[in-house]
Amino acid sequence: MSKIQIKLNGELRSLYVHPNDILLDVLRDKLGAKSPKCGCDRGDCGACTIFLNGKSVKSCNILAIEADEQEIVTIEGLSENGLTELQKKFVDMNSFQCGFCAPGITIAATELLNHNLNPSLEDVKEALSGNLCRCTGYTPILDAIMNCKK
Amino acid sequence: MEDLKFIGQPITRIDGKEKVSGAAIYADDIDFGPNLLYAEIVESQHAHAIIKSVDFTEALKVDGVINVFTGKDFPYKFGLYMKDRYIFAQDRVRFVGEQVAAVVARDPKAAKRAAKLVKVEYELLPAVLDQMEAIKDGADLLHPDLGDYAHVPWFFPKAKTNIAHWRKIRKGDSDKAFIEADYVLEDTYNVPRYAHCAIETHVAIGKFDLSGRLTVWASSQSPFTQRHLFAEALAPLGITHKDVRVIAPHVGGGFGGKAGVTMEILSAALATKLKGYAVKIRWTREQEFYNTYQRLGVVCKLKIGIKKDGTITGLDHKIYWDAGAYVEYGANVVNAVGLSAIGPYRIPNVTIDSVCIYTNLPPGGAYRGFGYSEFLFGLESHMNRIAKHLNMDPIEFRKLNAIKEGDTLAYGAHMNPNGLFDAIDKVKNAIEWDKEIKSKNPDKVIGKGFSLFWKAPAMPPNASSAAFLKFNEDASLNILVSGMDIGQGYLTVMAQIAAEVLSVPPHKIRVENPDTDRNPYEWQTVASHITWSCGNAVRKAALDARDQIFRLIERTHYLHYDMLYLEDEKVKCKTKPDFALPLKDFVINGIQVEDGTFKGGPIIARGVFMPEFSSTNADPETSQGGHPNVHYTVGAAALLLEIDKMTGKMKVLKVVEAIDCGKALNPDLVKGQITGGLLQGLATVLYEDMRYDDKGKLLNPNFTDYKLPTSMDIPDEIIPIIIEVPQPDGPYGARGMGEHTMLPAAPMIANAVDDALGVRITSMPITAEKVCMAVIRKNV
């Protein structure tokens, strides 16, 4: 077991992990951040997407020890001071159905809007192309993001 | 129609904030503390074999392993409509991936390591992988004891064969109809198996406490059915219904895959051997593909006769289902299609044989559409081909034969009110059917595809829904129901129904997914029947509450019951305009009268709905005489498909879908079903395909090799159209529409490909490769 330190949603957390522990499992089972979900365990579906040092990554593809001394934000962190404008739009436009993909998609879309204040529909589609949603046909999600442009 | 305040409004989902904030708890998110154990399943590597021995001595030596269990520990059968399977394989395995044993350990890694050390010795049997082989005389039998299996009275298994059920329709004289027809078109259509691919895999946690109480937390569409099947299967252990509790948190997608009982029973059963612990199983994505239900594969042999004027004289539809190793749920897909394989058409002479065939592939079961997508692919392809032969417009041909209210259905009952013709006309206009559309790119062609669709809920005749409703001090409400919000927005719509009756806005109403100990009965969240069925129960509960309120006001304020009404969370009186008593003043604490005493008390209401007109009593040789389906939901759809002639690559430029949901209780959610269902349907025809090797092993159980559409693959434009011809027995006229949205996708694509290129593809999926090859073949 190795001791690692992660800044998770603004709070410094220390814990022991096995060298082969997956970051997603550690976030969920040892650190209590349940919003990243496991949908495929191999980076195909994007349900486990989190911010690692401000960049969206799939936490099922990363070892926990790689996150030592790094900063992680999940949507628990994004929602801390109330919903963001994007999250409000998702609610207003009934963007999600089962909601299982919502945490990952919210991270991916937030990242896009952080870097591109005026994305085209094609930009949005591309930004979300690593996140699978089986319920919505994506359209209501894309509509909310397009409505959220600054 | 009365003035409606909340019904028909596109209000936001009551679970929206939970889901976007990360607050929503799914089964895998629940913490169970340090006594949580993990089970790893030892799976069959063979499609068909006798289990000679299971040796797990080495597995028990692994640090952290608690115990290993096999079929010997659970000699119990279960099944929804037919008891044809065991919790763990007993003496025989029937598909690759079937559960043979479980290793239970303190942590998942130890369980996984130990499971690899379990040695299972098999004696191989010939595998039956093709349903057309399985029905041949002398075929190897999967279930030699089929004749002894318990099943619902409307199934007709054939002992000593691989035929688990055979639904026959005989109406009129189809042989004569073909003789009298001017043209008969006959062909075979093939549809492979598909996977649901909810992004959340199945998860179930069982806990058998020291007092003998079994609780199962499950990602589920069917908490009450699961409770019932667990109690039935585990009855030999002394477990009764009251001892079993199923708690269903948010579910990350269902599409039929989480209906009935599949892997959940493993957690329930294992828990009974491990008192005091919680036992968790989370299916991997691979297991989700090969050991839940799959959509059944099918071969449809279709024959339709037509007069020169375009009238259909008769139909003969022989439908051979690859139903898999166990058909306890899947046989009802076969049944449902048998009853409805005429499609939404008026056809006087009908022969249908829908045959449920065991194969050594994973069990087939419920999948959004419940068999209708499968037969509509052939039927709606056929309609276009016939129209082409007659030199008729395919839409006009369909209008000539489309079903109308009161027409006789294949099984003799009559068609419900519906807006099929309105749907056809609106789709035709929106897609600009008569306008010629050409690609500017010479390498590309654009085809138009059209399809009708229909579907009835497939359910037992006595499937029922129930609702409890209780007021809180501030006149907010809790509604307890046991349907599942699998994404469709059911909880929101239940709130809207109660809101409408009681004048309490939906945001003051809490409706949550159920706990079978607290919430009243619901059959299952399947069949697109929950808005209709449970909606009726909620409406009745709200009317019960209103009745209690009015009776209380009548005896405390001496106002006439019939003059009272609810508005803006107040009781008002038509004859006394200044009377406006807020609900919050009395719904818990009652009303104080002159002598200082209080009358009334907490308002607690109930509602129950069962379709009392439904019956499966019919002649098994003809299916005439019963009323097995409560009603049909119908619709029409069309699309513009751009095809690259060089590569076969296709893109949907525009798609229009009109559906008659009776009344759109929440139009935004109805439209959400259309955009979502259409893409799921398009995926089955354009991308997805389950590939098995010659030994019955699934080759692509992951999202790398089984392609789901991404945000890059959506149609450029989607036009959803809502038609509202009220369902007389539906809440505010509503009938179901969730599954239906994907039904027209495959035949629309096939018809558009033919329109653009003049090639007819009769097997799904219709991939770019297949289109390209068809073009090459046509040109040589």
Side-chain angles (χ1 to χ4, degrees), chain B residues 304-318:
Chain B
I304 292 180
I306 315 97
K307 288 274 188 202
K308 270 190 203 121
D309 65 2
T311 336
I312 298 176
T313 61
L315 166 144
D316 185 333
H317 214 161
K318 300 206 185 310

Side-chain angles (χ1 to χ4, degrees), chain B residues 51-324:
Chain B
I51 300 173
K52 304 288 282 182
S53 65
V54 183
D55 174 4
F56 49 84
T57 44
E58 291 304 309
L60 286 174
K61 292 178 190 164
V62 173
D63 195 27
V65 168
I66 303 283
N67 211 339
V68 179
F69 301 93
T70 70
K72 288 202 176 73
D73 296 297
F74 307 103
Y76 315 130
K77 270 190 163 175
F78 75 99
L80 182 62
Y81 294 108
M82 176 185 266
K83 306 236 175 301
D84 70 349
R85 65 185 307 188
Y86 286 91
I87 296 171
F88 285 88
Q90 298 289 305
D91 55 338
R92 184 195 276 246
V93 288
R94 296 183 175 88
F95 68 94
V96 177
E98 182 168 3
Q99 59 270 22
V100 173
V103 177
V104 183
R106 281 272 170 199
D107 74 90
K109 285 175 189 160
K112 200 175 249 304
R113 268 201 311 279
K116 291 201 175 111
L117 300 174
V118 176
K119 294 188 193 81
V120 186
E121 198 190 336
Y122 296 100
E123 178 189 323
L124 298 192
L125 298 171
V128 184
L129 302 176
D130 178 335
Q131 71 266 43
M132 303 314 281
E133 295 296 319
I135 48 170
K136 285 185 179 160
D137 284 343
D140 291 289
L141 297 185
L142 272 82
H143 294 265
D145 302 327
L146 173 60
D148 303 329
Y149 290 178
H151 58 81
V152 291
W154 70 87
F155 280 4
F156 307 105
K158 309 290 171 210
K160 304 292 173 198
T161 74
N162 285 318
I163 296 173
H165 175 42
W166 189 326
R167 169 55 61 189
K168 294 180 187 175
I169 296 258
R170 300 290 181 272
K171 180 182 162 234
D173 185 343
S174 56
D175 289 338
K176 199 170 152 219
F178 294 130
I179 293 165
E180 286 169 4
D182 296 314
Y183 173 59
V184 176
L185 179 65
E186 197 172 355
D187 207 350
T188 300
Y189 299 88
N190 287 283
V191 182
R193 289 170 163 246
Y194 289 98
H196 306 80
C197 301
I199 307 299
E200 176 200 37
T201 61
H202 279 62
V203 183
I205 304 94
K207 184 174 181 178
F208 194 53
D209 74 13
L210 298 169
S211 75
R213 180 117 175 54
L214 176 65
T215 305
V216 178
W217 292 260
S219 169
S220 170
Q221 292 178 238
S222 309
F224 268 91
T225 289
Q226 292 181 339
R227 186 185 72 160
H228 179 55
L229 294 192
F230 297 161
E232 262 191 349
L234 301 172
L237 301 173
I239 290 171
T240 67
H241 284 75
K242 116 179 167 341
D243 303 323
V244 184
R245 177 182 185 187
V246 175
I247 298 174
H250 282 295
V251 50
F255 314 109
K258 289 169 182 161
V261 169
T262 58
M263 56 77 81
E264 305 83 3
I265 203 161
L266 301 175
S267 293
L270 291 170
T272 64
K273 302 284 182 193
L274 296 156
K275 265 194 180 180
Y277 295 95
V279 183
K280 182 176 198 167
I281 304 178
R282 187 183 80 199
W283 255 192
T284 62
R285 178 53 58 186
E286 286 74 16
Q287 287 169 314
E288 188 71 15
F289 269 94
Y290 60 68
N291 196 1
T292 60
Y293 297 121
Q294 292 176 3
R295 195 169 111 172
L296 288 68
V298 70
V299 172
C300 294
K301 294 179 181 293
L302 176 60
K303 185 174 174 184
I304 292 180
I306 315 97
K307 288 274 188 202
K308 270 190 203 121
D309 65 2
T311 336
I312 298 176
T313 61
L315 166 144
D316 185 333
H317 214 161
K318 300 206 185 310
I319 306 165
Y320 301 96
W321 297 90
D322 156 22

Side-chain angles (χ1 to χ4, degrees), chain B residues 276-414:
Chain B
Y277 295 95
V279 183
K280 182 176 198 167
I281 304 178
R282 187 183 80 199
W283 255 192
T284 62
R285 178 53 58 186
E286 286 74 16
Q287 287 169 314
E288 188 71 15
F289 269 94
Y290 60 68
N291 196 1
T292 60
Y293 297 121
Q294 292 176 3
R295 195 169 111 172
L296 288 68
V298 70
V299 172
C300 294
K301 294 179 181 293
L302 176 60
K303 185 174 174 184
I304 292 180
I306 315 97
K307 288 274 188 202
K308 270 190 203 121
D309 65 2
T311 336
I312 298 176
T313 61
L315 166 144
D316 185 333
H317 214 161
K318 300 206 185 310
I319 306 165
Y320 301 96
W321 297 90
D322 156 22
Y326 304 100
V327 304
E328 45 90 23
Y329 203 152
N332 208 42
V333 174
V334 175
N335 193 69
V337 167
L339 294 168
S340 299
I342 56 169
Y345 296 98
R346 190 179 345 104
I347 304 179
N349 303 294
V350 179
T351 296
I352 296 172
D353 293 279
S354 187
V355 189
C356 180
I357 305 162
Y358 282 120
T359 58
N360 288 115
L361 291 172
Y367 179 114
R368 186 181 204 170
F370 214 67
Y372 285 71
S373 293
E374 292 88 310
F375 84 79
L376 282 168
F377 172 64
L379 185 75
E380 284 299 293
S381 296
H382 230 61
M383 292 300 171
N384 259 54
R385 295 170 69 180
I386 293 167
K388 197 172 180 179
H389 178 86
L390 297 172
N391 211 13
M392 276 180 83
D393 175 80
I395 294 182
E396 292 310 310
F397 170 65
R398 284 175 173 86
K399 281 174 83 168
L400 200 59
N401 293 287
I403 202 157
K404 290 179 177 158
E405 180 182 354
D407 282 343
T408 308
L409 300 162
Y411 48 84
H414 297 285

